[in-house]
Amino acid sequence: MSSRKITLMGQLGDVDLRLLRIFRKVVECGGFSSAEVELNISRAAISMAMSDLEARLSMRLCQRGRSGFQLTSEGQAVFEATMQLLAAVEDFRTRVNGLHSSLTGELNIGITDNLVTMPNMHVTEALRALKARGDNVHINIRMAPPNDIEMAVLGGSLHAGVVPELKRVPGLDYLSLYDEQSALYCSDRHPLFDADAPTPQQIACFDAVVPSYAQTPEIKRVHETLKPKASATDREGVAFLVLTGSYVGFLPTHFAQRWVEHGRMKRLAPDTFEYATRYEYSTRYYAITRKGRPPNLVLESFLKALRSLMEALPRDEPTAGRGS
């Protein structure tokens, strides 16, 4: 075979790397016989691989025969270059794998108010899993109304949001999270607090606080049975007014539970089917992201954690009450 050096043309592919790894092991083992055990392939396969590599490089790399295995001068140069190349490949692999195990960057997420008291804290646990991936992850949370969160996600100032489904926005992707249950409450200062089973007619006589934030048509119809005398821009505002004792109002059951446990609030007519259908409702919450968003490993890691948490839920259990 000619010893004239010919430049290796084209891209370096997987076949080339495989042949070079075999070559490296043959040199390290000092011959084909010893490398046979290390590589777990036959001596004939090693010989064929070496011949293929020499043909691709157009040079003889070693002398093999009765006198034993010995590198040529070209083979020695190729071996040194091979060691540098394979070390660089391994360094690349380590660095890329490091990106997956230790993240760097920001997650800007918008969340609708008063979800932190949901019993199963999926958003919280997903954020915990994200932070565990590296100290260089910086999480920024913005509490805002659903419409503001949707616009911010579309505009790119937020990477993701957690909002109720009011109306699907074409430019957003939706990941279903959970159902939130809401019911009608009064405080211990309200005349209905000591009533065992107030009728709809009795409830309709008392002033109510209604939300001024966006609601689905179904939820709006539930509020139409009340006597609206006050409004609030969020659930905390509804709670403030209910606690005055002057109003009844709808609150998420997980949010009102703290006051119920301390005797400060009471759920009105919770045990009657007719009242339950009239004085409670369910809201579906979603994690939203922008369609066609640029690649973002921090965001994708957060979404992957969320999906894993949701997939781990028993399939025969309802999603009501599961949440942030």
Side-chain angles (χ1 to χ4, degrees):
M1 182 178 294
S2 171
S3 61
R4 180 171 58 92
K5 296 181 180 179
I6 300 178
T7 303
L8 185 63
M9 301 299 291
Q11 295 181 344
L12 193 67
D14 291 340
V15 172
D16 302 295
L17 292 175
R18 174 180 173 275
L19 295 177
L20 289 170
R21 287 190 175 99
I22 293 174
F23 171 57
R24 177 186 65 177
K25 186 57 67 177
V26 168
V27 175
E28 290 175 344
C29 293
F32 291 12
S33 298
S34 300
E36 186 176 5
V37 177
E38 292 287 334
L39 292 169
N40 196 28
I41 58 177
S42 68
R43 192 180 311 179
I46 295 174
S47 179
M48 185 177 298
M50 290 294 296
S51 297
D52 287 346
L53 181 59
E54 289 178 331
R56 293 173 77 86
L57 297 176
S58 298
M59 64 180 66
R60 181 169 290 280
L61 299 176
C62 62
Q63 302 291 343
R64 54 261 199 193
R66 292 182 180 179
S67 60
F69 176 85
Q70 186 175 0
L71 286 176
T72 63
S73 58
E74 291 90 347
Q76 182 63 41
V78 170
F79 175 69
E80 293 172 1
T82 297
M83 295 297 287
Q84 293 176 355
L85 172 63
L86 296 181
V89 170
E90 187 58 34
D91 181 62
F92 173 81
R93 190 198 313 276
T94 301
R95 289 182 181 227
V96 171
N97 289 341
L99 291 176
H100 288 276
S101 61
S102 182
L103 296 178
T104 300
E106 289 189 341
L107 177 69
N108 300 320
I109 179 172
I111 302 178
T112 302
D113 69 298
N114 300 127
L115 295 183
V116 72
T117 52
M118 290 293 285
N120 295 325
M121 303 166 65
H122 294 317
V123 173
T124 300
E125 291 304 317
L127 292 173
R128 174 185 172 85
L130 178 65
K131 181 59 178 173
R133 295 284 301 275
D135 289 336
N136 293 323
V137 173
H138 194 92
I139 299 170
N140 304 302
I141 292 182
R142 182 191 306 176
M143 306 303 296
N147 290 343
D148 291 351
I149 294 174
E150 291 170 344
M151 294 302 297
V153 172
L154 285 172
S157 60
L158 288 178
H159 298 120
V162 178
V163 298
E165 183 184 26
L166 301 175
K167 182 179 180 182
R168 290 281 179 124
V169 178
L172 296 175
D173 287 324
Y174 289 78
L175 172 62
S176 179
L177 293 181
Y178 53 85
D179 290 327
E180 178 189 70
Q181 300 299 320
S182 294
L184 187 65
Y185 290 89
C186 71
S187 82
D188 58 339
R189 299 177 177 182
H190 195 277
L192 289 177
F193 188 81
D194 294 323
D196 291 334
T199 65
Q201 292 76 18
Q202 289 177 303
I203 293 174
C205 293
F206 290 96
D207 293 348
V209 52
V210 297
S212 58
Y213 48 88
Q215 298 283 355
T216 65
E218 294 77 13
I219 294 176
K220 287 181 179 179
R221 283 194 289 272
V222 172
H223 284 89
E224 287 174 356
T225 64
L226 303 179
K227 180 181 176 183
K229 287 294 185 177
S231 65
T233 60
D234 53 42
R235 282 96 66 89
E236 187 171 3
V238 174
F240 265 113
L241 290 171
V242 169
L243 288 168
T244 66
S246 301
Y247 305 91
V248 298
F250 280 95
L251 290 169
T253 55
H254 64 88
F255 181 55
Q257 187 62 29
R258 72 190 81 176
W259 293 294
V260 172
E261 290 177 351
H262 288 88
R264 297 289 312 283
M265 279 190 190
K266 174 184 176 180
R267 181 176 174 178
L268 295 175
D271 299 323
T272 305
F273 177 77
E274 177 189 359
Y275 288 175
T277 57
R278 184 177 300 193
Y279 296 120
E280 72 175 30
Y281 57 84
S282 178
T283 304
R284 168 70 63 164
Y285 275 79
Y286 292 84
I288 58 171
T289 52
R290 188 179 68 183
K291 290 182 181 291
R293 59 188 180 272
N296 184 324
L297 190 56
V298 173
L299 173 59
E300 297 308 322
S301 298
F302 170 69
L303 294 175
K304 181 180 179 180
L306 268 183
R307 293 189 186 98
S308 296
L309 287 163
M310 300 308 297
E311 290 170 359
L313 294 175
R315 295 189 179 277
D316 57 347
E317 289 187 5
T319 57
R322 295 176 179 152
S324 68

